[in-house]
Amino acid sequence: MSHNSFGQLFRFTTWGESHGSAIGCVVDGTPPGLALAEPDIQQWLDKRKPGQSRFTTQRKEPDQVKILSGVFDGLTTGTPISMVIENMDQRSRDYGDIKDKFRPAHADYTYFKKYGIRDYRGGGRASARETALRVAAGGVARKVLGDAIRIRGALIQVGAHHVERERWNWEEVDNNPFFCPDPVMAGLWADYLDGVRKEGSSVGAIIEVVASGVPTGWGAPVYGKLDAELATAMMSINAVKGVEIGAGMGVAALRGEENSDEMAMNNDGTVRFLSNHAGGILGGISSGQDVIVRFAVKPTSSILQARRTVTVDGKDTEIVTKGRHDPCVGIRAVPVGEAMMACVLADHMLRHRAQCG
Amino acid sequence: MSHNSFGQLFRFTTWGESHGSAIGCVVDGTPPGLALAEPDIQQWLDKRKPGQSRFTTQRKEPDQVKILSGVFDGLTTGTPISMVIENMDQRSRDYGDIKDKFRPAHADYTYFKKYGIRDYRGGGRASARETALRVAAGGVARKVLGDAIRIRGALIQVGAHHVERERWNWEEVDNNPFFCPDPVMAGLWADYLDGVRKEGSSVGAIIEVVASGVPTGWGAPVYGKLDAELATAMMSINAVKGVEIGAGMGVAALRGEENSDEMAMNNDGTVRFLSNHAGGILGGISSGQDVIVRFAVKPTSSILQARRTVTVDGKDTEIVTKGRHDPCVGIRAVPVGEAMMACVLADHMLRHRAQCG
Amino acid sequence: MSHNSFGQLFRFTTWGESHGSAIGCVVDGTPPGLALAEPDIQQWLDKRKPGQSRFTTQRKEPDQVKILSGVFDGLTTGTPISMVIENMDQRSRDYGDIKDKFRPAHADYTYFKKYGIRDYRGGGRASARETALRVAAGGVARKVLGDAIRIRGALIQVGAHHVERERWNWEEVDNNPFFCPDPVMAGLWADYLDGVRKEGSSVGAIIEVVASGVPTGWGAPVYGKLDAELATAMMSINAVKGVEIGAGMGVAALRGEENSDEMAMNNDGTVRFLSNHAGGILGGISSGQDVIVRFAVKPTSSILQARRTVTVDGKDTEIVTKGRHDPCVGIRAVPVGEAMMACVLADHMLRHRAQCG
Amino acid sequence: MSHNSFGQLFRFTTWGESHGSAIGCVVDGTPPGLALAEPDIQQWLDKRKPGQSRFTTQRKEPDQVKILSGVFDGLTTGTPISMVIENMDQRSRDYGDIKDKFRPAHADYTYFKKYGIRDYRGGGRASARETALRVAAGGVARKVLGDAIRIRGALIQVGAHHVERERWNWEEVDNNPFFCPDPVMAGLWADYLDGVRKEGSSVGAIIEVVASGVPTGWGAPVYGKLDAELATAMMSINAVKGVEIGAGMGVAALRGEENSDEMAMNNDGTVRFLSNHAGGILGGISSGQDVIVRFAVKPTSSILQARRTVTVDGKDTEIVTKGRHDPCVGIRAVPVGEAMMACVLADHMLRHRAQCG
């Protein structure tokens, strides 16, 4: 058991705090003989790194990854892949205000109560900086999965404003700073978030991640359900408060005949489903359809508006969390969600192969 | 690793299919010296067992639990607690129609593709009958947690009809066949579900489970997050497609100042929160507030309306799933959700004690 | 984590005490589609069961196994295989003498100190009766491994009397009550053990287990070493105090040139080793040679000779452990050692397939 | 599951090869609030590092450890402790001879067969350099255990020459380059090993590790046996072929009355044992006596004497392994064995606390 590891056979362990000298992860269980180099990882980190638009934090973190082990002559060796990212922006900040106050909606209070230690430097392990390592591990996972499986994420809602499915175009995702598949909505979000930022506020979001090409049969019917592991994968991302598979929470309002995805034969002898309310997973096992997961990210907790809180010494006070914060942390959660999808699938690929050959 | 076990230190393993001679579970890691007897378990199984109203399946399963090990002179010994429930209603049914067809929205197709075996007798391990064992394990978990922690579940939505929070009364939960805390809505549901059943249809639902009295500090900041493990716990229940903590998917539409739960000191030196959007969990660690989780259950997939599907031999066909099915499986999911909450909390109680003393 | 489970991908969990109504195990991770029936298991249990000669305990335990799940139409389904053995010989014994005294060399004292509970009925989970379940799990493991891998065990030393390698004949193992491959030594042991038994004493033994046909490449170079897992497998058997691989403890006295097994090519392009000091494992990975493990079993702790001990209340006393005890528990440890070898190999077969395809 | 992690609650994961830029480990599960700094770790690494006498390899590896995370203001935070050691002596060696030949008794052949990759640079993960990380993790484990538990190791046999128990003096261990508690034998070994080295040969050894102050009750009666986990801990150290607890393999020749450790009351109400054949462990649970484990290390496989082997291309050949090898790798295994003892005990301390409070 480890509180800092994820996965069973494709398994990674992360370490480091946002204000230490470095953060890193160790990826274990990778099959040998896969082509892997730092750029394979860096491309995904670059999608997540801060400061790429005015809608994300302006911290300067190049997030350059170094591979320290597990690769020889350009190929994975089957041994642990250790990756490290140096922390560059650990400037000697004045923590005076934060040091003695618990920031509401952050982990400050619970972390202190659990460990008896007040690590005021940016949240310790509760910092979202840890998610860079998930993205790195996800880069390895994509190599394990191979090119036949495609994993794509999109931001589909910011505040109350959601994309229109009819306008969905995956190619648009790279054309705006929001990973938004709906160009109309992307324009609206830009204005909306400018307003939110100027008010010193923040707002929540919903991300959708889709995996295509997943073969039928991954997962297991009880506690190794593919959807159950996607749920823990996404809910373990900082600030996530809800996870949906396929029709999600909306299934409550559906009738059985609306919800059940009918099946029919293709001419080539394969099976097709006539809809995908199931999100590509039936009884915890992949059906061959697109695997679809959504998760909701709460608004950034660090805001410029004053909030009531208490001090470490037990006194009432107020707090304003200055600094360079994301007005909508949901944006940068998109590549993190993709990475967690990749890691869950890579793990289940190996788990399925172990049992069923 | 096991696809049939749940939890780390408080850990249970389940076995058995709905149409074998028995099902059972082994609960490991229980502290020694806890008073435990069969009625402690049976009371929770009785809440879940079928046939208690016209709104659940009419199968006759008394679900009598037997404890075969791990208890001596009325106390847990700290060794594995083996519990068995005999299957009484495995009548020699005519599977003729189902045997060769994959039931849509069931696990039939994916199960067959995974294992290469067609176990047509009620879904094999994918049968919701497995959840009886979760309830049994949950009964032990409640003993581990002790009386200071109270876990209660309620059905809060059936179809599009949801309870009113202002009418919420926990005591009403035992006064209707739906575990509904809102007596007005319970009446409405009765009529609504009668109609659904007569149409040979089914409908989805949402369950809310609340744990009170959980101390501050359980959970962990990264992959052992309390909410991430509640997510996998609930999503692993049959037919669940969405899980929410606190404000859930709704956080997307919230502003930072709306979402963040302010804090203030009580006169006795303890901390109180002025709201609970977080659902009692901050940074993956319990805050001392009520831990609140919701999950959505899809409509029963076995319905009397004809649906298109394919045969095991790869031919198009239609299917009507006769039998004694729940018009809303969400109802019986309430005690299951409670049990999974209990198991997650018991596990984290031990995990916290291990590391933090 | 579980203190009552063994293995990672081929994983079994055991439960039950020697004086409860039954004992059992749940085997998880078995590939689907393997032919399996109760006689496949029973044949191994029959080798271990008591009362087959005057050299083992005279308790009457038929050890009839029942398979309750995981098999359908004669084939494994890939789901948990639950097996149960009823305890038949739990006669209402007079524990008066033992109840309040800690039996030396038994787990009585440490068990009591750990759990705070005095389960005086035959040792609770510390009873060697648990090993019947290892034998049952081993029966399934052999099915996973298939016929190409052959696992055989032999008793090679009783007291100071060890077999001669030149006389080793595997077929003799079934011709005497000791699983002894040396017929001369088997005769000597019979006389020797008659003497030991008449003196109310007991004696230790050494078992050797050999697996032939194991392919090259199972295991892993660091913490998943095949030999390290065989070590824990064998040391976890009751009364075992030492484990050796290949040349074992004797390597201390060898020179490098004596110990290193030279290699040469066969005409068919395969590699052969000119000796097997390594016991078939190099760097934790199987070499294709016979995998050879030995373990030493201490003399039965229950003897008729008076020994000094203390009472539960903390008073000095003496104890004589009457009853029907094995003069040499090492004999019945032979099928247990075989079973553990099978379980470790089945697990590593699946683990290797998961990572390396 | 991970092939590169050890332990359950006190759990460490190692990474890196002997000829990469660095090696490292991540220690997870450490309780918060323990004083920890790099010198606490370095002191143990210095005992293991090469080149401290003419009896160990002359490679220059200062083995300076850096702590990258998990410590704040001199105290553990309860989060992962990442430690890194740079490889300094990865000189651009001529691997010409070794590159295409499998070194007998090394992992070369099996590693290649498993992974399909020939990492000829010093053995990859099979290099004993990995044991430096066990020593680092062991340094943290000692902090978890605290000062009341003392762990000491000694070399007790080199070739056929073993120490005399009557001359055992723990203080002598630091007075010779062998960690030998018997000053007479240390002198003999010096001469003996000079001869071995001059002959281009090597020799095996036996190490004994003793833990004093372990409380009664750690471990578990079945698969979490303290001795079973010590067995896997020691057998997982490079070159180890045998592990013994207490009387070890010698129990085979003992009578029941010789082996069973009698018990008696002390005046202060505590229990004492009159001997310790059990090595401090009864039924897998610590008894309060010294925990005693021994393990045998095979002779260094890299020797100057020509040995028959095969090439990667499948041709017969000979090999002479030049380089700076230890004539007796058993010497440097002493601090490694101590470290593994510390890790197993720290893990079981937390596991016991989790279940039994």
Side-chain angles (χ1 to χ4, degrees):
Chain A
M1 195 198 71
S2 163
H3 287 146
N4 295 282
S5 299
F6 187 86
Q8 300 292 329
L9 299 190
F10 180 85
R11 181 174 176 89
F12 65 92
T13 300
T14 74
W15 55 266
E17 294 88 27
S18 64
H19 289 74
S21 64
I23 58 175
C25 67
V26 183
V27 179
D28 199 12
T30 307
L34 303 173
L36 182 71
E38 286 165 0
D40 294 319
I41 307 299
Q42 193 62 48
Q43 62 177 316
W44 307 111
L45 285 167
D46 288 347
K47 287 184 68 177
R48 180 201 161 279
K49 80 177 172 194
Q52 304 194 86
S53 79
R54 69 182 185 274
F55 304 107
T56 59
T57 173
Q58 297 304 306
R59 272 194 296 273
K60 297 290 180 243
E61 285 292 359
D63 281 353
Q64 284 292 328
V65 69
K66 275 189 282 191
I67 297 177
L68 298 184
S69 68
V71 177
F72 180 54
D73 282 351
L75 299 177
T76 58
T77 59
T79 66
I81 300 170
S82 174
M83 296 185 280
V84 175
I85 297 171
E86 284 186 58
N87 288 330
M88 306 301 285
D89 191 31
Q90 18 159 348
R91 54 179 181 173
S92 65
R93 186 177 157 190
D94 176 10
Y95 290 103
D97 196 43
I98 290 175
K99 192 171 179 178
D100 299 324
K101 297 178 182 178
F102 298 120
R103 294 170 298 166
H106 276 282
D108 295 9
Y109 173 70
T110 55
Y111 206 89
F112 176 69
K113 282 291 198 176
K114 180 176 190 69
Y115 296 116
I117 281 181
R118 176 84 184 108
D119 186 345
Y120 49 81
R121 307 162 307 159
R125 287 288 286 167
S127 163
R129 183 149 179 70
E130 191 270 347
T131 61
L133 304 166
R134 300 172 184 237
V135 172
V140 181
R142 289 184 195 247
K143 287 287 179 176
V144 173
L145 293 170
D147 292 337
I149 293 178
R150 187 169 190 186
I151 295 166
R152 291 180 292 193
L155 199 67
I156 63 167
Q157 185 176 329
V158 173
H161 310 287
H162 53 79
V163 301
E164 289 298 318
R165 296 266 159 189
E166 309 85 70
R167 289 196 297 256
W168 191 296
N169 180 353
W170 277 113
E171 297 187 3
E172 288 295 330
V173 158
D174 297 326
N175 294 340
N176 60 67
F178 307 111
F179 306 107
C180 179
D182 172 352
V184 177
M185 189 50 59
L188 189 153
W189 287 349
D191 292 341
Y192 173 65
L193 283 174
D194 278 335
V196 167
R197 200 183 57 224
K198 280 169 194 158
E199 295 170 40
S201 181
S202 63
V203 73
I206 296 181
I207 289 93
E208 181 166 311
V209 180
V210 179
S212 305
V214 177
T216 312
W218 292 3
V222 188
Y223 301 108
K225 279 193 170 79
L226 189 56
D227 37 3
E229 304 216 343
L230 287 169
T232 200
M234 301 307 167
M235 196 70 94
S236 75
I237 300 172
N238 304 50
V240 174
K241 302 302 286 187
V243 180
E244 299 185 319
I245 304 292
M249 299 301 291
V251 292
L254 294 180
R255 288 294 191 98
E257 60 275 18
E258 294 170 315
N259 177 70
S260 83
D261 304 312
E262 293 183 302
M263 303 166 75
M265 297 306 300
N266 293 319
N267 288 336
D268 64 356
T270 58
V271 166
R272 76 174 181 280
F273 290 86
L274 307 188
S275 56
N276 190 8
H277 293 91
I281 303 173
L282 286 168
I285 303 171
S286 59
S287 68
Q289 289 192 282
D290 281 359
V291 175
I292 300 173
V293 61
R294 277 183 307 284
F295 57 95
V297 176
K298 70 181 185 185
T300 315
S301 300
S302 295
I303 51 176
L304 291 175
Q305 303 192 12
R307 300 291 292 162
R308 293 180 58 182
T309 190
V310 301
T311 65
V312 176
D313 300 334
K315 295 200 173 58
D316 285 319
T317 184
E318 284 201 339
I319 192 165
V320 171
T321 316
K322 294 167 192 160
R324 301 153 298 164
H325 304 290
D326 298 84
C328 176
V329 281
I331 302 171
R332 290 170 60 211
V334 174
V336 180
E338 290 178 351
M340 294 307 286
M341 171 73 90
C343 290
V344 169
L345 290 176
D347 190 29
H348 273 281
M349 172 186 152
L350 302 183
R351 286 156 72 168
H352 180 69
R353 183 161 78 182
Q355 187 178 16
C356 297
Chain B
M1 195 197 73
S2 163
H3 287 147
N4 295 282
S5 299
F6 187 86
Q8 300 293 327
L9 299 191
F10 180 86
R11 181 174 176 89
F12 64 93
T13 300
T14 73
W15 56 266
E17 294 88 29
S18 62
H19 289 73
S21 63
I23 58 175
C25 68
V26 183
V27 179
D28 197 12
T30 307
L34 303 174
L36 182 71
E38 287 165 359
D40 296 318
I41 308 299
Q42 194 62 47
Q43 62 177 315
W44 308 111
L45 285 166
D46 287 348
K47 287 184 68 176
R48 179 201 161 278
K49 80 176 172 194
Q52 305 194 83
S53 79
R54 69 182 186 275
F55 305 106
T56 60
T57 173
Q58 298 304 307
R59 272 194 296 271
K60 298 289 178 246
E61 286 291 0
D63 282 352
Q64 284 292 328
V65 70
K66 275 188 282 191
I67 297 177
L68 298 184
S69 67
V71 177
F72 179 53
D73 281 351
L75 299 178
T76 59
T77 59
T79 67
I81 299 169
S82 175
M83 295 184 281
V84 175
I85 296 172
E86 283 186 60
N87 288 330
M88 306 302 285
D89 190 32
Q90 18 160 351
R91 54 181 182 173
S92 66
R93 184 177 157 190
D94 176 12
Y95 289 103
D97 196 44
I98 290 175
K99 192 171 178 178
D100 298 324
K101 297 178 181 178
F102 297 120
R103 294 169 299 166
H106 276 282
D108 293 9
Y109 174 69
T110 55
Y111 206 90
F112 176 69
K113 283 290 198 176
K114 181 176 189 71
Y115 296 115
I117 282 180
R118 178 83 183 107
D119 186 345
Y120 49 81
R121 309 162 305 160
R125 286 289 284 166
S127 163
R129 183 149 178 70
E130 190 270 346
T131 60
L133 304 166
R134 301 172 185 237
V135 173
V140 181
R142 290 184 195 246
K143 287 288 180 176
V144 174
L145 293 170
D147 293 337
I149 293 177
R150 186 168 191 186
I151 296 167
R152 292 180 289 192
L155 198 67
I156 63 168
Q157 184 175 328
V158 173
H161 310 287
H162 53 80
V163 302
E164 289 299 319
R165 296 266 160 190
E166 308 86 68
R167 289 197 295 256
W168 190 296
N169 179 353
W170 278 113
E171 297 187 3
E172 288 295 330
V173 159
D174 297 326
N175 294 339
N176 58 70
F178 307 112
F179 306 106
C180 179
D182 171 352
V184 177
M185 188 50 58
L188 190 153
W189 288 349
D191 293 341
Y192 174 64
L193 283 174
D194 278 334
V196 167
R197 200 182 57 222
K198 281 169 193 159
E199 296 170 41
S201 181
S202 63
V203 73
I206 297 181
I207 290 93
E208 181 166 310
V209 180
V210 179
S212 305
V214 177
T216 312
W218 291 4
V222 188
Y223 301 109
K225 280 191 170 82
L226 188 56
D227 36 5
E229 306 216 342
L230 285 170
T232 201
M234 301 307 166
M235 195 69 94
S236 75
I237 299 172
N238 303 48
V240 174
K241 301 303 283 186
V243 180
E244 299 184 317
I245 304 292
M249 299 301 290
V251 292
L254 295 180
R255 289 294 191 96
E257 60 275 19
E258 293 170 315
N259 177 68
S260 82
D261 304 312
E262 293 183 300
M263 303 165 75
M265 297 306 300
N266 292 319
N267 289 337
D268 64 355
T270 59
V271 166
R272 75 175 180 280
F273 290 85
L274 308 188
S275 56
N276 189 8
H277 293 90
I281 303 173
L282 286 167
I285 303 170
S286 60
S287 68
Q289 289 191 282
D290 280 359
V291 175
I292 301 173
V293 61
R294 277 184 305 285
F295 57 95
V297 176
K298 69 182 185 185
T300 314
S301 300
S302 296
I303 51 177
L304 291 174
Q305 305 191 11
R307 301 292 291 162
R308 293 179 59 183
T309 190
V310 301
T311 65
V312 175
D313 301 334
K315 295 198 173 60
D316 285 319
T317 186
E318 283 200 340
I319 191 165
V320 170
T321 316
K322 294 166 193 161
R324 302 152 297 164
H325 305 290
D326 298 84
C328 176
V329 280
I331 301 170
R332 290 170 59 212
V334 175
V336 180
E338 289 178 349
M340 293 307 286
M341 171 72 90
C343 290
V344 169
L345 291 177
D347 190 29
H348 273 282
M349 173 185 151
L350 302 184
R351 286 156 73 168
H352 180 68
R353 183 160 79 181
Q355 186 177 18
C356 296
Chain C
M1 195 196 73
S2 163
H3 286 146
N4 295 283
S5 299
F6 187 86
Q8 300 292 329
L9 299 191
F10 180 86
R11 181 173 176 89
F12 64 94
T13 300
T14 73
W15 56 267
E17 293 88 28
S18 63
H19 289 73
S21 63
I23 58 174
C25 67
V26 182
V27 179
D28 197 12
T30 307
L34 303 174
L36 183 71
E38 285 165 1
D40 295 317
I41 307 299
Q42 194 61 48
Q43 63 177 313
W44 307 111
L45 284 167
D46 287 347
K47 288 184 67 177
R48 180 201 160 278
K49 79 178 173 193
Q52 304 194 83
S53 79
R54 68 181 186 275
F55 304 106
T56 59
T57 173
Q58 298 304 306
R59 272 193 297 272
K60 297 290 179 242
E61 287 291 359
D63 282 353
Q64 285 292 329
V65 70
K66 275 188 282 189
I67 297 178
L68 298 184
S69 67
V71 177
F72 180 54
D73 281 351
L75 299 177
T76 58
T77 58
T79 65
I81 300 168
S82 175
M83 296 185 281
V84 175
I85 297 170
E86 284 185 59
N87 287 330
M88 307 301 286
D89 190 31
Q90 16 160 352
R91 52 178 183 176
S92 64
R93 187 178 156 189
D94 176 11
Y95 289 104
D97 196 43
I98 289 175
K99 191 170 178 178
D100 299 323
K101 297 178 181 178
F102 298 119
R103 294 170 298 166
H106 277 281
D108 295 9
Y109 174 69
T110 55
Y111 206 90
F112 175 68
K113 282 290 197 176
K114 180 176 190 70
Y115 296 116
I117 283 181
R118 177 85 184 107
D119 186 345
Y120 49 81
R121 308 162 306 160
R125 286 288 284 167
S127 163
R129 182 148 179 72
E130 190 271 346
T131 61
L133 304 167
R134 301 171 185 238
V135 173
V140 180
R142 291 185 194 245
K143 287 287 179 175
V144 174
L145 293 169
D147 293 337
I149 294 177
R150 186 168 192 186
I151 295 166
R152 292 179 291 194
L155 199 67
I156 64 169
Q157 185 176 329
V158 173
H161 311 288
H162 54 80
V163 302
E164 289 299 318
R165 295 266 160 189
E166 310 86 70
R167 288 196 297 255
W168 191 296
N169 180 354
W170 278 114
E171 299 187 3
E172 289 294 331
V173 160
D174 297 326
N175 294 339
N176 59 69
F178 308 111
F179 307 106
C180 179
D182 172 351
V184 178
M185 189 51 58
L188 190 152
W189 288 348
D191 293 341
Y192 174 63
L193 283 174
D194 278 334
V196 168
R197 200 182 56 222
K198 280 168 194 158
E199 295 170 41
S201 182
S202 62
V203 72
I206 296 181
I207 290 93
E208 181 166 310
V209 181
V210 179
S212 304
V214 178
T216 313
W218 292 3
V222 188
Y223 301 107
K225 279 192 171 83
L226 189 55
D227 37 4
E229 304 215 345
L230 286 169
T232 200
M234 302 307 168
M235 196 70 93
S236 75
I237 300 171
N238 303 48
V240 173
K241 301 304 284 187
V243 180
E244 299 184 319
I245 305 292
M249 297 302 290
V251 292
L254 294 180
R255 288 295 191 97
E257 60 276 18
E258 293 169 317
N259 176 69
S260 82
D261 304 311
E262 293 183 301
M263 303 165 76
M265 296 306 301
N266 293 320
N267 289 336
D268 64 358
T270 58
V271 167
R272 75 175 181 281
F273 290 85
L274 309 188
S275 55
N276 189 9
H277 294 90
I281 303 173
L282 286 168
I285 303 171
S286 59
S287 68
Q289 290 191 281
D290 281 359
V291 175
I292 302 171
V293 61
R294 277 184 306 283
F295 58 94
V297 176
K298 69 182 186 185
T300 313
S301 300
S302 295
I303 51 177
L304 292 174
Q305 303 192 14
R307 300 292 290 162
R308 294 180 58 183
T309 190
V310 300
T311 64
V312 175
D313 301 333
K315 295 200 174 57
D316 284 319
T317 185
E318 284 201 341
I319 191 165
V320 171
T321 316
K322 294 167 193 161
R324 302 151 298 163
H325 304 290
D326 298 85
C328 176
V329 280
I331 301 170
R332 290 171 60 212
V334 174
V336 180
E338 290 179 349
M340 293 307 286
M341 171 73 90
C343 290
V344 168
L345 291 177
D347 191 29
H348 273 282
M349 173 185 152
L350 302 183
R351 287 156 72 167
H352 180 69
R353 183 160 78 181
Q355 185 177 19
C356 297
Chain D
M1 195 196 74
S2 163
H3 287 147
N4 295 283
S5 298
F6 186 85
Q8 299 293 329
L9 299 191
F10 180 86
R11 181 174 176 88
F12 65 94
T13 301
T14 74
W15 56 267
E17 294 87 28
S18 64
H19 287 75
S21 64
I23 57 175
C25 68
V26 182
V27 179
D28 198 11
T30 307
L34 303 174
L36 183 71
E38 286 165 359
D40 295 318
I41 308 298
Q42 194 62 47
Q43 62 177 316
W44 308 111
L45 285 166
D46 288 348
K47 287 184 68 176
R48 180 201 161 278
K49 80 177 173 194
Q52 303 194 85
S53 80
R54 69 183 185 274
F55 304 107
T56 60
T57 173
Q58 298 304 305
R59 272 194 296 272
K60 296 291 180 241
E61 286 292 359
D63 282 354
Q64 285 291 328
V65 70
K66 275 189 283 192
I67 297 177
L68 298 184
S69 68
V71 178
F72 179 53
D73 282 351
L75 299 177
T76 58
T77 59
T79 66
I81 299 169
S82 174
M83 295 185 281
V84 174
I85 297 171
E86 284 186 57
N87 287 330
M88 306 302 284
D89 191 32
Q90 18 160 348
R91 55 180 182 176
S92 65
R93 185 177 157 190
D94 177 10
Y95 289 103
D97 196 43
I98 290 175
K99 190 170 178 177
D100 299 323
K101 297 178 181 177
F102 298 120
R103 295 169 298 167
H106 277 280
D108 294 10
Y109 174 69
T110 55
Y111 206 90
F112 175 69
K113 282 290 198 175
K114 180 176 191 69
Y115 296 115
I117 282 180
R118 176 83 183 108
D119 186 345
Y120 49 80
R121 308 161 307 160
R125 286 288 285 167
S127 163
R129 184 149 178 70
E130 190 270 345
T131 60
L133 304 167
R134 301 172 185 238
V135 173
V140 180
R142 290 185 195 246
K143 287 288 179 175
V144 174
L145 293 170
D147 293 336
I149 293 177
R150 187 168 190 185
I151 296 165
R152 292 179 290 192
L155 199 66
I156 64 167
Q157 185 175 329
V158 173
H161 310 288
H162 54 80
V163 302
E164 290 298 320
R165 296 266 160 189
E166 310 85 70
R167 288 196 297 256
W168 192 295
N169 179 353
W170 277 114
E171 297 187 2
E172 287 295 329
V173 160
D174 297 325
N175 293 340
N176 59 68
F178 308 112
F179 306 106
C180 179
D182 171 352
V184 178
M185 189 50 60
L188 189 152
W189 288 349
D191 292 342
Y192 174 65
L193 283 174
D194 278 335
V196 167
R197 199 181 58 224
K198 280 169 194 160
E199 295 170 42
S201 182
S202 63
V203 74
I206 296 180
I207 290 91
E208 181 166 310
V209 181
V210 179
S212 305
V214 178
T216 312
W218 292 4
V222 189
Y223 300 108
K225 278 191 171 81
L226 189 56
D227 37 4
E229 304 215 345
L230 285 169
T232 201
M234 300 308 167
M235 195 69 94
S236 75
I237 299 172
N238 304 50
V240 173
K241 302 303 285 186
V243 180
E244 298 184 319
I245 305 291
M249 298 301 291
V251 292
L254 294 181
R255 288 295 190 97
E257 61 276 18
E258 293 170 314
N259 176 69
S260 81
D261 304 310
E262 293 183 301
M263 303 164 76
M265 297 306 300
N266 293 319
N267 289 336
D268 64 356
T270 60
V271 166
R272 75 175 181 281
F273 291 85
L274 307 188
S275 55
N276 189 8
H277 293 90
I281 302 173
L282 286 168
I285 303 171
S286 59
S287 69
Q289 289 193 283
D290 281 359
V291 174
I292 301 172
V293 60
R294 278 183 305 284
F295 57 95
V297 176
K298 70 182 185 184
T300 315
S301 301
S302 297
I303 52 176
L304 291 173
Q305 304 192 12
R307 300 292 291 163
R308 294 179 59 181
T309 190
V310 301
T311 65
V312 175
D313 301 332
K315 296 199 174 58
D316 284 320
T317 185
E318 284 200 340
I319 192 165
V320 171
T321 315
K322 294 167 192 161
R324 302 152 298 165
H325 305 290
D326 298 84
C328 176
V329 282
I331 301 170
R332 290 170 60 212
V334 175
V336 180
E338 290 178 349
M340 293 308 286
M341 171 73 91
C343 291
V344 168
L345 291 177
D347 190 29
H348 273 282
M349 173 185 150
L350 301 184
R351 287 157 72 169
H352 180 69
R353 184 161 77 182
Q355 187 177 16
C356 297

